Each structure stands twice: as C-alpha cells, then as structure tokens.
Amino acid sequence: MTMTARPPLPAPETDSADTQEAWRELTAQIGREVAEPLSAALERVIQLTTTGGIDREGLRALRNEIERARRIGVVSQQLSRFASKRLRQSHERLDLAQTLQSVLTHRAREANARGIQVRQSTRPIEVLVDPALLFSLLNAVLDWAIELARSTIDFRVDLKDWPAHGRVRCSFAHEPERSAAAEPAAGDSLNWHLLSQIARTMGLVLDREADAARVSMTLEFPLTVNEELEGMTAIELDHGDSSTLNSKPLAGSQVLVLAARREVRVQVREALANMGLLIDFVGSVDEAADFCREGLPHAIVFEGVLRGERLEQLADDIRAELPGFSFIELVEEGNAFEVSGFNGMNHARVGRDGLQQSLPSALVFELSKQF
C-alpha cells in the first residue's frame, strides 16, 4: 500500500464543516494520546501508595510516562499556535545542509539512546527561510522519524531538477505491524500534524509516501537561492501577516534548570512561563549529568552557588560535542545580564534581582547563536 500525505489541517478560523470535523478528530486524538501515558502513570502511583515503595526501573518508567504526556501537551500548544495565526517571517539566506547537520548533531545522544542510527547525504543548498521556523521544522521532522523508525533514519539534501528547488528528504523503515493495523501512528501522529503545519506556515511543498515497511517524506523549498531569486525584493519575500509577530521564537526548545533551592526553581519557572519552552529541573550536578546522558537540552540554566569543578567538567564534556552550547549562570545578587564572551566568560550571567526581565532575553540571545 502506498500512501501520500494528507493536506495540513486548515486554520481553525476557517469555519466549514470539513474544518470543524478535522479539528474534532485532532482533539480526540490528543485526548487519546495524552490519556495513555497518564493512565499508566496513575497505575504506578496507586501501586506506590499501596506498597509504599517503587524500584529504580519503576521510577524511570513513571518519569518517561509523565514526560510523554507533557510533550503531547507542548506539541498541542504548538499546533494551535501555528494553525491559528500567520506569523510574520524574517527570511534569511541559510544553508539547508548545515542547518540540518546542526540539528542532528544536537540530538545525536537522543537518537543513540533509542538505538537509532542517523545517516546523511547532503550538498550545499541555500534557501530563503525564517531561521527559527526552519529549526522548529527540522526538529519536528526528527521527532516524527524517531517516533516511528526501527533502526536507521536516512536524510538527504539535494536539488530538484525542475523547478530548481532545494529539498530535504527523510526515509526510514518502520515496524510492519504499525503500518497496516495502526496507520494513523505510521502517518498521522501529532508529530506529523505539527511538521505539516509548520511546513504550511513556511509555504513549503510537503509529500509523504509509505508502504507496509518504509516511510519517506520530502520537503520542497520554493525560495531556493539561484540567479532568478537574486533580484527579489524584501516585500516579495515576505509572505507573513504583518499584524502578528513571532512572539515565541524558542517554542518547543528544552531548557534544563540546575537549582538546589526551591525558591530559585519557582523564580525561573515564573520568568519562563510564557515562552513555550520545555523546562526540566534537577537539584545537583550529578542529576544534571544523568539527564544529559539521555539527551542534551538546548541550554542549561544553573544556580551560581553550584558552580565548581564538577559542573565545569560537565560543561567541558558537552562543549566537546557541541562547542556553542549555552550555559546561563544565575548570580545571587544584582540585575545585570552579561552575554557569554563578556570579560572572557564562556557562559552568560543573569542577576536574580532582574531575573524576571533578563532571563527570557538571555535565552533568546544565547540560543539564537545556535539556531
């Protein structure tokens, strides 16, 4: 059986019977997908209260179930954001291969932890896109592929013969029993809905084909840099709605907060509440190291009193893999924001007195150097 991609969900404000039905189906799907891990987590909590104990394996499973439910919530928020409004896009000239490689490098630990090998075959292709949206799109593609792939994911960046459009292609073998009996899981998961909505927002051509054992997806970029595009004006390249700005450029990014004191964790949570971030909290450097072994976040915010040799070693290990990785220190007093590189520092600093205003800006500034 060959299956092609369904069209992206229409914007919710388009009031038609088909639109309403599509969003009703998606709402029901979100409910099913979030109920499954929460039901499993509830069973473990009931077992814990009954027996008074839980082993390490049970704790890990409980954490994974809660994390899965949380991620479904975040994807749902992103779906709503991309589908309910048109974002004003800032088109920049980016190399598709370099951007893809950056995303894959950042998430290599996560793929390895799942036993998945990622292979690349790329060539330099420059396109005109919004950098934050391209980053979100490629991460959504990887989320979708990791969710379904059996062992290997192949990425390819090439140029379509005619018209001369840059393409990102992704293919992988998936579990046979998940393709026929559970076709929505193979094709129309929430991760697929998200990547298709981002592609729609960016004005890209999206195609997907699948049979009983293999899935392939192609993203085509109409605004590929060539001689014909060199003369385009900024107005011609701006497809966004000027009435709405991209107010959450880091939505979906993951931040690890290393803080031993509860009041610091609460302060950070409040400061970042409206940024659409995935935020995890740990209380020690050892816990941070354990967290990073399973997959790196996009940034680490740490309480200054925990800075020491062990934290510096963790930072060195991460930067050996990702040289531009962002660390932000929370200084006990003051309200200054100092960028990384200031006075020779290899991390940014934010004073706790100005944390509410400065920490969001610090994250946007520091992570923009990665994206």
Side-chain angles (χ1 to χ4, degrees), residues 79-113:
L79 267 170
S80 175
R81 170 174 168 254
F82 283 113
S84 64
K85 64 180 71 173
R86 295 183 61 191
L87 304 179
R88 182 176 178 83
Q89 299 177 44
S90 174
H91 288 84
E92 297 182 19
R93 187 167 173 163
L94 297 179
D95 188 303
L96 269 180
Q98 289 181 358
T99 308
L100 175 63
Q101 185 176 24
S102 175
V103 170
L104 296 182
T105 299
H106 195 105
R107 299 188 58 184
R109 289 192 183 191
E110 179 184 349
N112 291 337

Side-chain angles (χ1 to χ4, degrees), residues 278-295:
L278 281 169
I279 306 174
D280 290 279
F281 294 88
V282 294
S284 70
V285 178
D286 287 343
E287 291 179 8
D290 289 341
F291 183 96
C292 292
R293 287 191 189 98
E294 297 184 8

Side-chain angles (χ1 to χ4, degrees), residues 56 60 63-64 67 70-71 106 109-110 113 253-258 278-301 314 318 321 325 327:
R56 183 180 295 272
R60 181 182 295 274
R63 173 185 169 183
N64 290 341
E67 173 65 18
R70 185 182 68 159
R71 286 187 176 275
H106 195 105
R109 289 192 183 191
E110 179 184 349
S253 299
Q254 187 175 31
V255 175
L256 178 65
V257 179
L258 170 56
L278 281 169
I279 306 174
D280 290 279
F281 294 88
V282 294
S284 70
V285 178
D286 287 343
E287 291 179 8
D290 289 341
F291 183 96
C292 292
R293 287 191 189 98
E294 297 184 8
L296 290 176
H298 295 102
I300 293 179
V301 176
L314 175 61
I318 293 175
E321 186 174 336
F325 189 87
F327 284 85

Side-chain angles (χ1 to χ4, degrees), residues 92-154:
E92 297 182 19
R93 187 167 173 163
L94 297 179
D95 188 303
L96 269 180
Q98 289 181 358
T99 308
L100 175 63
Q101 185 176 24
S102 175
V103 170
L104 296 182
T105 299
H106 195 105
R107 299 188 58 184
R109 289 192 183 191
E110 179 184 349
N112 291 337
R114 293 170 178 259
I116 294 175
Q117 179 186 7
V118 180
R119 300 184 300 202
Q120 303 177 56
S121 174
T122 63
R123 55 175 290 189
I125 303 289
E126 289 190 323
V127 294
L128 294 166
V129 290
D130 181 280
L133 287 182
L134 180 60
F135 169 80
S136 297
L137 176 67
L138 294 178
N139 271 286
V141 171
L142 192 57
D143 285 336
W144 171 70
I146 287 178
E147 176 186 23
L148 298 172
R150 186 190 310 174
S151 58
T152 303
I153 302 172
D154 291 301

